[in-house]
Amino acid sequence: MTVHAMMPEATHDEAARFAHVVSLKNFLMRNLEPKWRGYVDEHLTPQFAAAGRDAAEEYRDLERRLAKLGAYRTWQALTVAAQEEMWRSVGQCVDRQLGDLDTRAKTIDGGSVRTDSEFVAPRYLSKVDIHLMPGGYAADRGGDDVRQGAVFDKAAALYHMGRNGGELNDVRGHTIVQHLFERYGNLQPKRILDIGCTVGHSTTAIASYFPDAEVHGIDVGGALLRYARARSASLGQKVHYSQQNGEQTDFPEGHFDLVVSSAVLHETSFSALPRIFKEAHRLLRPGGVMINLEVPLRFDTHSTWSRIRGLFEALHNNEPFWIGAQTLDVGAIAKSAGFAEVLAGYQNATPKADRAAAPTFTTKSGPVHVVWYMVSGVK
Amino acid sequence: MSESKQLPDGTEGLIFREDAQHRSEFFSERADVGRLLEMVTALTGEIAILRARLDTHERLAASGSGFDHARVEAYRAPSDVLAYRMQQDQEMIARVFRAVTEEIDRLASDADVRKVLMEKKA
């Protein structure tokens, strides 16, 4: 029994392999990484300070020197190996049933999908396979292919280790709606756009709160979007997906009441992010709302280890804008794009939005998956 | 080459490895070490699957339902069984990679390593 009709089914041994990937990631995150954090932040950083130096400022040089240590390289290699094993094991599971998945997607009615064989993904998404996912977001075999979507969906729960709403991976969507309810409670969106929707994890959750709304999702991969349409439909939501670049879409001006993004901004670039905000502003009708959810990490508050860990994420988990995004004043960019009443802060993650719930939006940060960074504004 | 060659893109804020199109190699000067580590890591996965399969057999036997290939394949571990297996798995992983854990613990008392790590950039 899977959480929705498009989710690939795992055999007994595939499920055991997935569980092992999570165990390995747990060991690395909860056993090994805290030791490096302790060594760097509690042992080395004070030694730097005693010598009149700031280890956090020297994090790049320190990372290069750490990489001379066999134990450090072993941690790096194991962390990459766990990630690669996740994609490999999920890929094998999906490939075993790919024909069935391609066929099943066609039999599930609801929503629409519009792909573009001439589409070229922007460089920040195409230069490397983000998260080490073979083929990245854009891989597409054409025709009825849904492979990349199936792989991404099945792997997402392993990637988040269940902390984003289990196999539905929809907590971020519910959290966006909670932010909307709390801060823009009078908005009754009739048209909604999710930029960088992947397989519609958040899109589908958001659509569930507004049954009369026309909901759209855009991303760069055809296979991702074909899967997304069928996935949303299997969960009872009719979503319209199209293959487009969030910097410049083909939707008319003032077409939407609500434009959102969910953990997308850190996968763009210094020049792309402001363009996406300007495009969101163009797409909104006067009074419309933009809400962006992001990882709750700010570079200037990072310890030495957190900076080194961020560098690892950029270089070895193929997240090239990981650090860049954390240095930006995203609220200021939203204002520059024309938004008013801009909010930048942190929203508690929630598995279900509730208009009557006590407000949780605050300027106080917290751990990833416990809170999310939100930047929103009104046109 | 043990260092991560970084190519920050000043205008776009993007950081790539110099060899970004290829997988990260952390033991390129000792490729055999990297390969051995990969094989050991892969073997832990095979052990985990074998243990899960054995656990399934034991649970089916204890339930009195008997077991054959089809019953084992059809068995889906409930959450408490999954939690038990993951606990066992993490303990196995910790035992396999104990040498790495101990090596990191040892660093705090190694003055020579600290000296190298704190060298000022020439």
Side-chain angles (χ1 to χ4, degrees):
Chain A
M1 186 69 179
T2 54
V3 291
H4 58 75
M6 284 305 297
M7 181 64 88
E9 292 182 38
T11 63
H12 179 282
D13 289 4
E14 286 168 349
R17 196 179 291 279
F18 297 159
H20 176 69
V21 168
V22 175
S23 293
L24 192 54
K25 283 174 167 282
N26 254 320
F27 169 72
L28 294 165
M29 190 174 78
R30 299 195 171 131
N31 291 48
L32 281 197
E33 189 177 334
K35 289 186 179 294
W36 286 116
R37 181 180 292 281
Y39 180 59
V40 170
D41 287 347
E42 293 161 25
H43 183 75
L44 283 180
T45 299
Q47 303 271 348
F48 272 74
R53 294 161 65 187
D54 185 344
E57 285 296 313
E58 296 185 37
Y59 77 101
R60 287 199 175 204
D61 288 330
L62 182 53
E63 191 270 350
R64 287 192 188 93
R65 294 192 191 109
L66 280 169
K68 295 180 191 300
L69 305 176
Y72 185 74
R73 278 189 275 167
T74 300
W75 171 76
Q76 289 181 303
L78 286 174
T79 303
V80 167
Q83 186 76 341
E84 289 179 334
E85 177 59 15
M86 178 188 77
W87 294 118
R88 188 163 41 241
S89 59
V90 170
Q92 287 168 355
C93 169
V94 168
D95 287 340
R96 179 179 53 75
Q97 55 196 301
L98 184 56
D100 289 342
L101 291 168
D102 288 345
T103 304
R104 199 180 308 157
K106 288 195 295 182
T107 65
I108 300 172
D109 291 329
S112 65
V113 63
R114 180 163 54 96
T115 60
D116 175 3
S117 60
E118 303 296 313
F119 182 83
V120 177
R123 175 176 171 271
Y124 49 83
L125 291 177
S126 64
K127 184 172 168 68
V128 293
D129 290 343
I130 292 194
H131 305 143
L132 307 182
M133 180 187 185
Y137 294 118
D140 183 9
R141 301 172 182 189
D144 300 322
D145 181 34
V146 298
R147 184 183 189 278
Q148 214 64 358
V151 170
F152 186 81
D153 196 16
K154 192 70 183 174
L158 304 182
Y159 193 98
H160 290 289
M161 297 164 72
R163 295 169 296 172
N164 187 39
E167 285 215 299
L168 281 177
N169 273 296
D170 57 358
V171 162
R172 294 191 295 217
H174 294 290
T175 303
I176 286 172
V177 176
Q178 186 62 45
H179 184 74
L180 178 76
F181 286 170
E182 270 186 43
R183 309 303 300 207
Y184 311 96
N186 293 328
L187 189 79
Q188 296 290 335
K190 293 295 180 193
R191 287 204 189 103
I192 301 170
L193 173 64
D194 184 6
I195 296 174
C197 60
T198 65
V199 296
H201 287 140
S202 294
T203 331
T204 309
I206 293 166
S208 70
Y209 291 90
F210 307 104
D212 298 326
E214 181 182 301
V215 181
H216 293 255
I218 62 170
D219 214 306
V220 299
L224 209 62
L225 296 168
R226 285 182 212 100
Y227 182 91
R229 184 208 61 77
R231 180 188 179 279
S232 292
S234 75
L235 287 164
Q237 302 303 326
K238 295 173 182 173
V239 179
H240 305 284
Y241 290 98
S242 55
Q243 189 173 15
Q244 300 200 58
N245 183 338
E247 297 174 53
Q248 187 175 19
T249 72
D250 62 8
F251 297 114
E253 188 174 329
H255 193 63
F256 293 98
D257 307 291
L258 175 64
V259 174
V260 305
S261 75
S262 178
V264 168
L265 303 181
H266 73 272
E267 292 178 1
T268 62
S269 73
F270 279 157
S271 64
L273 196 155
R275 282 201 289 267
I276 290 169
F277 278 12
K278 282 180 182 163
E279 177 66 359
H281 191 267
R282 182 186 76 80
L283 293 175
L284 285 167
R285 51 104 171 148
V289 170
M290 173 182 79
I291 301 176
N292 302 279
L293 175 149
E294 254 305 317
V295 291
L297 301 171
R298 303 303 301 160
F299 191 75
D300 56 0
T301 66
H302 280 344
S303 69
T304 312
W305 171 254
S306 293
R307 291 184 178 200
I308 289 171
R309 187 65 179 79
L311 197 55
F312 178 87
E313 199 69 12
L315 294 169
H316 303 300
N317 198 33
N318 286 354
E319 288 267 29
F321 198 45
W322 184 257
I323 289 175
Q326 293 168 25
T327 64
L328 287 176
D329 183 345
V330 185
I333 296 171
K335 286 177 189 165
S336 296
F339 286 96
E341 303 171 42
V342 170
L343 300 171
Y346 302 89
Q347 185 84 45
N348 282 6
T350 179
K352 188 72 181 168
D354 180 357
R355 286 185 185 276
T360 64
F361 184 68
T362 169
T363 54
K364 189 173 182 297
S365 187
V368 180
H369 292 107
V370 176
V371 304
W372 292 102
Y373 184 53
M374 314 294 290
V375 175
S376 58
V378 179
K379 179 174 179 180
Chain B
M1 201 284 290
S2 62
E3 297 179 4
S4 305
K5 286 196 177 176
Q6 302 152 23
L7 291 180
D9 182 329
T11 57
E12 290 295 326
L14 305 171
I15 302 173
F16 296 109
R17 281 180 291 117
E18 191 176 62
D19 55 348
Q21 307 294 349
H22 304 285
R23 70 193 296 260
S24 298
E25 293 292 348
F26 301 103
F27 296 95
S28 51
E29 82 289 10
R30 286 290 309 276
D32 50 347
V33 173
R35 279 197 294 272
L36 187 61
L37 188 59
E38 277 184 41
M39 289 189 280
V40 170
T41 307
L43 271 175
T44 64
E46 300 308 314
I47 292 168
I49 293 167
L50 274 174
R51 289 175 67 131
R53 212 162 172 90
L54 181 59
D55 186 59
T56 297
H57 278 80
E58 288 175 350
R59 289 177 192 278
L60 289 174
S63 73
S65 68
F67 51 80
D68 55 21
H69 184 78
R71 283 196 175 90
V72 170
E73 284 299 316
Y75 180 80
R76 290 294 175 268
S79 58
D80 61 326
V81 172
L82 274 178
Y84 164 78
R85 288 180 180 181
M86 288 185 77
Q87 177 67 30
Q88 296 283 306
D89 197 21
Q90 283 178 53
E91 288 172 10
M92 181 267 289
I93 292 167
R95 286 193 295 275
V96 170
F97 294 111
R98 178 180 52 81
V100 185
T101 310
E102 290 179 353
E103 175 64 9
I104 303 171
D105 288 338
R106 194 191 62 79
L107 289 176
S109 58
D110 192 325
D112 291 337
V113 168
R114 185 172 66 235
K115 192 175 169 188
V116 169
L117 292 175
M118 291 186 65
E119 275 174 6
K120 280 195 173 176
K121 196 174 181 180

